[in-house]
């Protein structure tokens, strides 16, 4: 058990795997346990979950710097990216980072219709963007924590879809300028898997296709449960997919708390620990909360360090509940 930013986290020493699964504050886990207990006793009603959906939507919007009425919900990132991929014109030229997480790329690659997807090294994304119709890229790369040149990408003027799954929660974000911003819940946002969000700028709604149109995408979902005609919401909720109720309860508990923290302070904490770890290996700082090292994970896991193997390397991630003790334990395991 640890205290971080005034809350309890039941996270063990050596947990450096947030880039795979984030650990919730105790109060968020308690909220999940409570609603599951009520469910097992038949004491829940479907409409009561509308409030957590709205609460989580607004908090995620605040964390990434967008307007809440421009945000659609789903259970997973690829579902939402698929609505963008389905809506872009035939022949769209899409630029992606080499080795990008496939939830951001496969929906475009699966389209056909003359849509092409070109990979380049992440460092070339901004300079090559103007040669393409759309850039789809993670703000922070899953495999190694590398951060895209957001200012260069913005200056390029090309339409852009940004995946913030590995960034939101530790990296300060103000992404109202991006055409689309998508992200999942279960890593740095300290929430259960099963919630994802997509911010859609008003001028690209026509390039987004509600391929999963459903009852929850109505202006009032409880008035669009039965019958035609099609009647979708007048804002980005037209692209909502039916929510995972319990996951939304967890997100509605954790996200407002996280949104109320000083993200610059969290950023400094996470990056400071990551760079201290790299310095202990005589490696240069990377300025990211995620580090990737060319060392086997075996000695780390044998010492009780939770980490991950990605792209042939060992990945460690430092979040707000991480401490210098974790750094010391990981370095000792590698000596």
């Amino acid at each position: 058990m640890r205290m971080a930013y005034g809350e309890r986290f039941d996270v063990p020493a050596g947990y450096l795997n947030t880039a795979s699964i984030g650990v919730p504050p105790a109060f968020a886990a308690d909220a999940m346990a409570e609603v599951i207990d009520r469910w097992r006793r038949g004491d829940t009603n479907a409409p009561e979950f509308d409030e957590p959906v709205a609460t989580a939507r607004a908090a995620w919007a605040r964390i990434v710097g967008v307007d809440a009425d421009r945000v659609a919900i789903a259970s997973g990132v690829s579902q939402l990216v698929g609505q963008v991929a389905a809506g872009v014109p035939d022949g769209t030229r899409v630029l992606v980072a080499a080795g990008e997480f496939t939830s951001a790329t496969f929906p475009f690659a699966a389209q056909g219709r003359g849509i092409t997807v070109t990979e380049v090294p992440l460092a070339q994304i901004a300079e090559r963007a103007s040669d393409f119709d759309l850039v789809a890229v993670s703000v922070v790369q899953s495999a190694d924590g590398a951060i895209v040149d957001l200012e260069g990408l913005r200056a390029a003027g090309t339409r852009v879809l940004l995946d913030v799954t590995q960034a939101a929660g530790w990296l300060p974000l103000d992404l109202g300028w991006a055409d689309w911003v998508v992200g999942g819940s279960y890593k740095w946002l300290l929430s259960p898997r099963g919630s994802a969000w997509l911010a859609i700028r008003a001028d690209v709604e026509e390039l987004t296709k509600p391929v999963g149109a459903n009852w929850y995408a109505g202006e009032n979902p409880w008035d669009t449960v039965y019958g035609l005609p099609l009647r979708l919401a007048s804002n980005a909720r037209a692209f909502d997919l039916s929510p995972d109720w319990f996951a939304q309860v967890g997100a509605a508990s954790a996200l407002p708390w996280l949104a109320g923290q000083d993200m610059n302070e969290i950023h400094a904490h996470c990056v400071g620990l990551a760079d201290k770890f790299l310095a202990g290996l005589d490696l240069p700082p990377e300025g990211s909360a995620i580090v990737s090292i060319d060392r086997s994970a075996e000695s780390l896991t044998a010492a009780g360090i939770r980490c991950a193997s990605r792209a042939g390397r060992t990945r460690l991630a430092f979040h707000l509940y991480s401490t210098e003790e974790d750094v010391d334990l990981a370095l000792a395991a590698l000596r």
Side-chain angles (χ1 to χ4, degrees), residues 31-32 35-36 39 44-57 72-77 79-80 184-186 191-197 214-216 222 239-253:
M32 290 284 293
V35 75
I36 289 171
W39 168 51
T44 56
N45 292 292
E48 74 183 67
F49 294 100
D50 290 346
E51 182 177 353
V53 169
T55 298
R57 189 195 312 261
I73 69 151
S75 297
V77 164
Q79 297 172 320
L80 294 165
S185 59
Y186 65 101
S191 301
R193 184 176 175 88
S195 298
W197 301 269
N214 67 101
W215 71 282
Y216 207 78
W222 300 103
F239 304 94
D240 277 3
L241 300 183
S242 187
D244 180 325
W245 288 334
F246 299 149
Q248 290 285 337
V249 168
S253 184

Side-chain angles (χ1 to χ4, degrees), residues 198-221:
L198 174 70
I200 308 167
R201 250 182 32 186
D203 60 341
V204 294
E205 247 188 44
E206 63 183 19
L207 296 178
T208 314
K209 189 172 183 179
V211 292
N214 67 101
W215 71 282
Y216 207 78
E219 196 72 56
N220 178 350

Side-chain angles (χ1 to χ4, degrees), residues 299-320:
S299 60
L300 289 163
T301 56
I305 305 298
R306 294 291 300 274
C307 55
S309 296
R310 294 291 185 274
R313 296 167 65 90
T314 296
R315 185 185 70 185
L316 302 95
F318 299 82
H319 203 7
L320 55 82

Side-chain angles (χ1 to χ4, degrees), residues 223-224 226-232:
D223 291 337
T224 46
Y226 302 114
L228 291 171
L230 178 69
R231 48 202 189 277
L232 299 180

